[in-house]
Amino acid sequence: MVTAKQDPDVLEKCPTGIKGLDEITKGGLPRGRPTLICGSAGCGKTLFAMEFLMRGAMDFKEPGVFMTFEETTEDLAKNFQSLGFDLHDMISRGLIATDYVLVERSEIEETGAYDLEGLFIRLGNAIDSIGAKRVVLDTIEALFSGLSNITILRAELRRLFRWLKDRGMTAIITGESGVGLLTRYGLEEYVADCVIFLDFRIQEQISTRRLRIIKYRGSSHGADEYPFLIDEYGISILPITSLGLDYIVSTERISTGVPKLDAMLDGKGFYRGSTILVSGTAGTGKSSLSATFANAACMRGERCLYFAFEESPSQIIRNMGSIGLDLSRWVKEGLLKFHSARPSLYGLEMHLVTFLNVINSYDPQVFIIDPISNLSSAGTASEVKSILTRLIDYLKMKKISTFLTDLTHFGGNLEHTSEEISSMIDTWLLLRDIELNGERNRGLYILKSRGMPHSNQIQEFLLTDQGVGLVDVYTGSGMVLTGSARAVQDARENAAELSRRCEADRKARDQKRKKTLLEARIAALRAEFDAESEELSLMAEEEQKRQMVLVEDRSEMALLRKGKPTRKSVRNGSGKGA
Amino acid sequence: MDASPGKRKNATTDATGEIWDLRLYVAGQTTKSITAFENLKKICEEHLAWKYRIEVIDLLKTPQLAKGDQIVAIPTLVRKLPTPLKKIIGDLANTERVLVGLDIRSASR
């Protein structure tokens, strides 16, 4: 029966090697078929085609023919050079063959019937000379301006594309877009398999390159407009809208660089790979906090990528020197890489592509953008949000810890980001000014931190020449004090405490004295009592003695009267007797 | 087409000393190629007497030659001499246009 290769239902694909394109086309361009790349002048068609050939020759062992109608081989070589490819070397190694086709209308007279067999022969010859698998025709529309018989031309082009198909060539045909048309001469009519449109748009003086797959017969493909970037490594397309939320997260914790802040975050710091946002008004220490975090990462031996939208690298290094951070050391060791650019340098999509390109080439563990709020000068809020969502998704997927700072404006809601990305943030630190008693101090608190218990306290944020520090603010007596007010209040409290302590001591002493006094009085009373009871017993004794004496006296008297003493007589005796 | 491709036909120097050096590029013996060759021969004999030389190049046999003269269409007639270089594509059915294209009118006058 039919094998997979012959099965017409299964479209075999030819990887382009262009970053990102193979993802959105789900494997590459249709193998053995022509693909039309169209777009306006300067949109990168030739470069696209060039990279397709070069990557094919270098990475996929598929030699290619570049047939150019616009540039000489020499010019072409220069263009290739700009992408780091040595065309002459590749030609001599038999990986690439070029043919410059020049059709000069002024030299040519047409009489009667003709065909383009000459072109076929040249192409065929070039293909055979290196056993090519890929072909680029850039841009075949030049024929339309060189030859006047459109009927013949159209018939011949149709034959050419069929011929390429028959020979199994994966071909790229470029075409310049016309007014309201994909290509000026309607090439899309002939190349029906795959059409890719490149766009170079300028919006508010900022240019963005975009790519869209208009058509891909027999295959599903990403349907969005994808921004792409042309840099010294060629074309990069970033199909990052397709990312999902199925990344694996880490439970590892990393230090914030500020021990006390680590303590506030459950004593362990941030989660690795989480997204941290620091927002605050101007001058609250956002950059210092990010530099501290970067410094901590470098100390752990991790690579850190620092995107600065406000300052140049040397300025950051100088300024952070003033809080005791030596960042230049890390730059020298290759652990820290700065990337400074003005946000308005290019469009948002371009920024995103730049981010991802640098991330991919540097492969950092920590990524810092300072600040993201500046991006809004390059696009609308929803655009910024879309960019940041895709960026954060991408970074999460790569388990890169992300530290973003956001400048909030005075009078604005502090607990609100202008980019509306708060829901994407795992840990949100808020830096705020605390204005009191004619001075301004910095306060830091944790607005949220997913997946960990965290402190609810406002801490005073100090920038010293020893780095960033946090101090507990004064929160007694129903008010929050910072800075010198906190110090004054502390001193006041200390004094009050001292006097309270003295008072207590005094009272204790008083009490002791009272006790002594009381004891003394008790002793005195007891002594008095003792004295009295002694006297009393003495008196009793005396009385007894007296009674005894009296009895003795009476009996003696009775004896003397020689009568019997009666009680009555005794009682009255004295009277009678007297 | 009687002439085997690539062979010179009627080459002599005349009193004027000027030789018309013409090349006809073909790809195999197609109808168009044969017609073109016959038309060319007729025109040359009529207008250039013996002052011409025709070289027929069959690109099926020597495809690498197509590059040098920037051949795209078949058949193509190239006037190498006298300079400047001129090209006429097609089967040369319209004698008038061929004469204009090759600038023969002025030469034979």
Side-chain angles (χ1 to χ4, degrees):
Chain A
M1 289 298 290
V2 276
T3 63
K5 264 192 181 173
Q6 289 158 340
D7 189 344
D9 294 339
V10 178
L11 186 70
E12 209 192 325
K13 297 199 176 174
C14 172
T16 59
I18 296 174
K19 271 181 255 165
L21 184 67
D22 296 344
E23 277 92 335
I24 55 176
T25 53
K26 303 202 164 72
L29 301 178
R31 183 177 291 283
R33 289 158 192 249
T35 295
L36 175 67
I37 308 284
C38 50
S40 56
C43 69
K45 300 184 292 288
T46 304
L47 207 79
F48 189 105
M50 216 188 286
E51 196 172 344
F52 166 72
L53 275 200
M54 281 298 178
R55 301 275 174 214
M58 306 285 278
D59 305 342
F60 304 105
K61 305 268 178 297
E62 294 189 1
V65 171
F66 200 106
M67 186 173 251
T68 165
F69 295 81
E70 289 179 331
E71 290 175 292
T72 61
T73 305
E74 211 40 58
D75 287 341
L76 210 57
K78 278 185 200 135
N79 294 347
F80 274 77
Q81 199 71 51
S82 70
L83 294 185
F85 293 118
D86 186 347
L87 182 63
H88 291 301
D89 174 58
M90 298 190 79
I91 290 173
S92 64
R93 282 161 59 196
L95 295 170
I96 298 279
T98 60
D99 192 355
Y100 170 48
V101 178
L102 176 73
V103 183
E104 193 70 67
R105 192 157 204 166
S106 61
E107 279 181 3
I108 295 174
E109 194 70 41
E110 293 177 36
T111 79
Y114 58 89
D115 55 43
L116 297 185
E117 192 60 32
L119 192 69
F120 284 69
I121 287 169
R122 284 170 78 167
L123 194 50
N125 187 41
I127 290 170
D128 293 340
S129 70
I130 55 166
K133 295 267 184 283
R134 300 179 177 206
V135 169
V136 167
L137 302 174
D138 178 49
T139 157
I140 202 158
E141 284 179 322
L143 289 178
F144 283 92
S145 57
L147 302 171
S148 58
N149 195 331
I150 301 295
T151 321
I152 290 179
L153 211 47
R154 288 190 180 281
E156 286 298 284
L157 283 185
R158 189 162 282 138
R159 186 163 73 96
L160 177 66
F161 296 143
R162 205 166 46 235
W163 179 81
L164 283 171
K165 246 185 198 175
D166 290 345
R167 296 208 56 166
M169 291 295 135
T170 309
I172 283 190
I173 290 114
T174 62
E176 195 145 311
S177 55
V179 182
L181 292 167
L182 285 180
T183 57
R184 211 172 278 175
Y185 299 95
L187 285 180
E188 60 273 22
E189 262 178 62
Y190 312 113
V191 188
D193 292 298
C194 182
V195 179
I196 295 174
F197 186 71
L198 305 183
D199 184 22
F200 185 62
R201 213 177 297 167
I202 294 177
Q203 217 166 13
E204 289 178 12
Q205 295 152 28
I206 291 167
S207 67
T208 313
R209 294 175 190 274
R210 287 167 211 263
L211 174 147
R212 183 158 68 97
I213 300 169
I214 291 185
K215 166 175 182 180
Y216 197 146
R217 185 174 281 174
S219 167
S220 63
H221 58 81
D224 299 338
E225 273 195 321
Y226 299 97
F228 70 97
L229 177 74
I230 296 175
D231 62 11
E232 62 265 41
Y233 311 108
I235 292 176
S236 321
I237 302 154
L238 295 133
I240 38 177
T241 42
S242 57
L243 289 181
L245 283 172
D246 52 355
Y247 35 74
I248 299 158
V249 295
S250 170
T251 50
E252 193 192 336
R253 303 287 281 267
I254 51 173
S255 168
T256 62
V258 185
K260 192 118 192 220
L261 184 55
D262 290 345
M264 288 171 78
L265 295 160
D266 195 21
K268 295 175 201 152
F270 305 129
Y271 278 114
R272 179 177 296 287
S274 66
T275 309
I276 302 122
L277 176 72
V278 176
S279 59
T281 49
T284 44
K286 298 184 294 298
S287 297
S288 305
L289 203 57
S290 31
T292 307
F293 184 53
N295 189 53
C298 292
M299 277 205 282
R300 288 192 299 270
E302 296 172 3
R303 273 188 309 282
C304 175
L305 185 58
Y306 196 118
F307 263 79
F309 281 130
E310 282 179 336
E311 296 175 284
S312 71
S314 58
Q315 191 178 325
I316 294 172
I317 289 170
R318 183 200 69 192
N319 293 353
M320 293 311 145
S322 73
I323 59 163
L325 295 176
D326 180 14
L327 296 179
S328 60
R329 181 163 57 122
W330 306 122
V331 174
K332 265 182 227 130
E333 283 182 26
L335 288 173
L336 179 62
K337 187 179 166 129
F338 282 103
H339 199 287
S340 281
R342 280 280 169 209
S344 52
L345 184 64
Y346 30 65
L348 275 178
E349 297 284 352
M350 221 25 203
H351 275 297
L352 180 64
V353 174
T354 314
F355 286 150
L356 299 191
N357 242 14
V358 181
I359 289 168
N360 281 337
S361 63
Y362 188 62
D363 192 24
Q365 280 91 43
V366 170
F367 179 70
I368 295 171
I369 305 181
D370 181 31
I372 51 166
S373 38
N374 268 21
L375 283 174
S376 54
S377 66
T380 65
S382 69
E383 279 171 334
V384 175
K385 184 180 178 181
S386 136
I387 298 292
L388 287 173
T389 313
R390 283 142 69 190
L391 178 65
I392 288 170
D393 272 353
Y394 186 76
L395 289 164
K396 285 217 159 148
M397 192 190 72
K398 299 206 87 175
K399 288 205 189 77
I400 298 172
S401 311
T402 311
F403 196 96
L404 311 169
T405 71
D406 181 39
L407 177 70
T408 46
H409 295 283
F410 289 109
N413 184 359
L414 283 176
E415 299 182 3
H416 177 266
T417 55
S418 49
E419 297 75 28
E420 292 171 344
I421 52 158
S422 48
S423 58
M424 285 176 271
I425 301 299
D426 297 314
T427 299
W428 190 353
L429 307 178
L430 216 139
L431 286 168
R432 57 173 299 182
D433 284 322
I434 300 172
E435 245 177 284
L436 205 71
N437 293 346
E439 63 177 30
R440 170 175 282 170
N441 293 295
R442 304 176 176 97
L444 178 147
Y445 61 95
I446 301 168
L447 206 60
K448 74 163 173 186
S449 192
R450 286 176 179 157
M452 61 177 91
H454 57 84
S455 163
N456 62 353
Q457 299 295 305
I458 296 184
Q459 298 278 308
E460 185 172 352
F461 182 71
L462 295 179
L463 296 175
T464 68
D465 55 5
Q466 304 296 312
V468 169
L470 292 176
V471 194
D472 291 334
V473 294
Y474 174 78
T475 50
S477 316
M479 53 181 177
V480 171
L481 297 177
T482 56
S484 59
R486 168 178 49 76
V488 167
Q489 183 67 28
D490 278 351
R492 201 181 291 148
E493 294 222 329
N494 283 344
E497 174 70 24
L498 193 65
S499 68
R500 259 201 311 280
R501 213 175 295 135
C502 290
E503 177 71 19
D505 282 355
R506 195 176 57 76
K507 277 196 176 142
R509 274 200 312 276
D510 266 8
Q511 190 69 17
K512 207 172 167 191
R513 203 172 56 236
K514 268 187 190 160
K515 192 181 169 196
T516 324
L517 215 63
L518 189 67
E519 277 169 359
R521 272 169 67 190
I522 291 170
L525 281 172
R526 183 166 287 141
E528 200 180 329
F529 175 77
D530 284 353
E532 266 173 35
S533 13
E534 203 177 334
E535 198 175 338
L536 204 63
S537 66
L538 275 175
M539 276 167 73
E541 213 175 305
E542 214 168 288
E543 180 63 24
Q544 213 175 348
K545 274 184 189 159
R546 205 164 52 93
Q547 287 290 332
M548 274 167 66
V549 170
L550 199 60
V551 171
E552 274 173 27
D553 281 356
R554 216 168 269 164
S555 42
E556 212 173 297
M557 214 176 280
L559 277 177
L560 285 176
R561 285 180 188 169
K562 291 165 185 169
K564 249 196 174 177
T566 57
R567 219 167 241 268
K568 200 174 171 183
S569 60
V570 169
R571 195 182 299 152
N572 304 322
S574 55
K576 269 183 186 174
Chain B
M1 195 160 78
D2 53 353
S4 301
K7 293 295 155 321
R8 138 187 334 168
K9 181 100 180 163
N10 299 328
T12 44
T13 38
D14 206 351
T16 56
E18 194 181 41
I19 296 175
W20 286 63
D21 194 354
L22 304 173
R23 268 186 205 175
L24 183 66
Y25 285 89
V26 297
Q29 303 206 8
T30 61
T31 330
K32 279 191 283 260
S33 301
I34 292 165
T35 316
F37 180 71
E38 280 169 357
N39 285 335
L40 178 64
K41 206 165 63 172
K42 207 170 75 203
I43 293 165
C44 286
E45 277 168 4
E46 252 174 55
H47 297 273
L48 291 174
W50 297 101
K51 304 183 291 178
Y52 67 96
R53 182 166 62 195
I54 300 173
E55 195 178 353
V56 178
I57 295 172
D58 187 350
L59 292 180
L60 290 187
K61 291 183 180 148
T62 50
Q64 66 280 5
L65 293 181
K67 229 172 166 171
D69 273 328
Q70 282 295 356
I71 304 306
V72 172
I74 292 292
T76 297
L77 175 65
V78 179
R79 187 186 82 176
K80 299 289 273 185
L81 282 173
T83 50
L85 193 107
K86 295 248 176 206
K87 280 184 196 162
I88 301 174
I89 60 174
D91 60 10
L92 311 177
N94 186 332
T95 310
E96 201 64 24
R97 292 195 72 152
V98 176
L99 294 177
V100 171
L102 288 178
D103 232 356
I104 286 180
R105 273 282 158 77
S106 55
S108 57
R109 223 180 274 149

